[in-house]
């Protein structure tokens, strides 16, 4: 595990911190679609992503979802950090977008390392900054973009974090994550295909530009 830590976080953390993470962290592999945490659960560990991608979603009272952002290699989740430090219940849902490898850090280490290691503090603050910008980008998309523009932006991001560049979500799954109906998504996907932006296949979607 120490080598994977050095490969992914060696440029961020000093050796002493890397060694501590190696001692207390738990290595975990999760398959695509694995639910890592649900809304209302207490956060017991903070993830450091080694490979793959995790999607972070909000959910309303009816169970409808809205995609907030993706976590990728070298990232952690600012929402998880907040719950860890405040010992509060999670307000987000985290699901593996692809097969992923993570190192889970016990929440007891959060405050200790923030006081002990400047590099950890910087990492935490940068994570808050990056995730806030991504959520603002999501808000801007909802507020200022038409649904077809939101859909194309979503597909580009999905293709970027996938391992092969293909989008394998069903029309219904896309509708859930964009908080709209399957009928609307199916119509707009066909429109984007007619415009030459995407190609619809039987079980996946590819970008053409």
């Amino acid at each position: 595990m120490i080598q994977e830590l050095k490969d992914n976080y060696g440029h961020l953390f000093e050796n002493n911190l890397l060694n501590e993470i190696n001692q207390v962290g738990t290595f975990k592999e999760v398959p695509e679609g694995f639910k890592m945490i649900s809304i209302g659960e207490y956060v017991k560990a903070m993830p450091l992503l080694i490979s793959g991608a995790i999607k972070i979603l909000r959910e309303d009272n009816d169970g409808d979802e809205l995609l907030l952002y993706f976590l990728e290699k070298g990232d952690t989740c600012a929402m998880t950090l907040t719950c860890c430090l405040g010992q509060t219940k999670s307000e987000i849902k985290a699901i593996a977008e692809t097969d992923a490898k993570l190192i889970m850090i016990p929440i007891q280490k959060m405050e200790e390392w923030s006081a002990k290691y400047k590099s950890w503090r910087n990492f935490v603050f940068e994570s808050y900054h990056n995730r806030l910008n991504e959520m603002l980008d999501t808000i801007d998309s909802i507020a200022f973009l038409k649904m077809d523009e939101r859909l194309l932006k979503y597909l580009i991001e999905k293709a970027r974090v996938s391992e092969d560049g293909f989008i394998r979500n069903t029309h219904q799954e896309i509708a859930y994550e964009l908080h709209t109906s399957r009928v609307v998504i199916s119509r707009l996907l066909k429109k984007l295909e007619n415009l030459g932006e995407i190609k619809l296949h039987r079980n996946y979607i590819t970008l053409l530009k």
Side-chain angles (χ1 to χ4, degrees):
M1 188 168 77
I2 188 65
Q3 191 55 52
E4 288 181 307
L5 271 171
K6 288 181 177 179
D7 291 344
N8 291 280
Y9 293 92
H11 63 293
L12 295 173
F13 304 147
E14 56 262 63
N15 285 332
N16 287 345
L17 178 52
L18 290 171
N19 288 331
E20 281 205 52
I21 294 173
N22 187 54
Q23 289 168 10
V24 304
T26 302
F27 183 76
K28 189 172 185 178
E29 293 188 59
V30 297
E32 177 184 340
F34 181 81
K35 187 183 293 184
M36 299 190 60
I37 191 164
S38 295
I39 294 171
E41 293 181 356
Y42 281 101
V43 178
K44 298 178 181 178
M46 192 199 84
L48 295 179
L49 203 51
I50 298 297
S51 68
I54 307 292
K55 60 184 175 184
I56 306 299
L57 307 114
R58 282 283 288 160
E59 188 177 86
D60 66 15
N61 293 331
D62 297 324
D64 293 328
E65 298 173 341
L66 177 66
L67 177 68
L68 295 180
Y69 53 80
F70 290 101
L71 298 178
E72 298 175 78
K73 182 175 74 172
D75 285 341
T76 192
C77 181
M79 300 291 285
T80 303
L81 285 168
T82 302
C83 293
C84 285
L85 293 173
Q87 296 184 358
T88 57
K89 293 180 180 179
S90 174
E91 296 181 0
I92 52 94
K93 180 190 290 187
I95 298 174
E97 174 72 10
T98 65
D99 294 346
K101 296 179 181 179
L102 312 97
I103 297 174
M104 306 302 291
I105 308 298
I107 61 172
Q108 295 86 350
K109 290 293 178 180
M110 300 299 99
E111 280 194 69
E112 178 187 330
W113 288 349
S114 292
K116 190 174 180 181
Y117 296 110
K118 182 180 179 181
S119 63
W120 181 261
R121 289 197 303 275
N122 290 342
F123 175 66
V124 169
F125 288 139
E126 186 172 347
S127 295
Y128 277 123
H129 175 73
N130 291 340
R131 301 295 87 79
L132 176 61
N133 282 341
E134 286 168 338
M135 283 196 286
L136 289 175
D137 189 48
T138 299
I139 292 168
D140 286 347
S141 294
I142 295 169
F144 304 124
L145 295 183
K146 296 177 182 177
M147 181 53 75
D148 57 342
E149 295 172 318
R150 281 182 63 201
L151 175 58
L152 182 57
K153 190 169 182 285
Y154 164 91
L155 294 174
I156 291 170
E157 187 70 3
K158 278 277 195 178
R160 187 181 66 79
V161 301
S162 71
E163 294 175 348
D164 54 15
F166 296 161
I167 300 113
R168 291 188 167 82
N169 297 75
T170 66
H171 293 194
Q172 185 62 69
E173 288 168 341
I174 296 171
Y176 276 139
E177 294 188 358
L178 291 178
H179 211 288
T180 186
S181 71
R182 183 193 60 78
V183 173
V184 169
I185 291 301
S186 296
R187 176 174 57 79
L188 291 178
L189 285 171
K190 195 64 184 175
K191 176 184 174 183
L192 289 174
E193 184 176 46
N194 291 336
L195 290 172
E197 297 283 357
I198 63 171
K199 177 66 176 176
L200 298 174
H201 303 270
R202 183 174 178 82
N203 295 310
Y204 64 93
I205 302 167
T206 53
L207 296 172
L208 298 180
K209 296 182 180 180

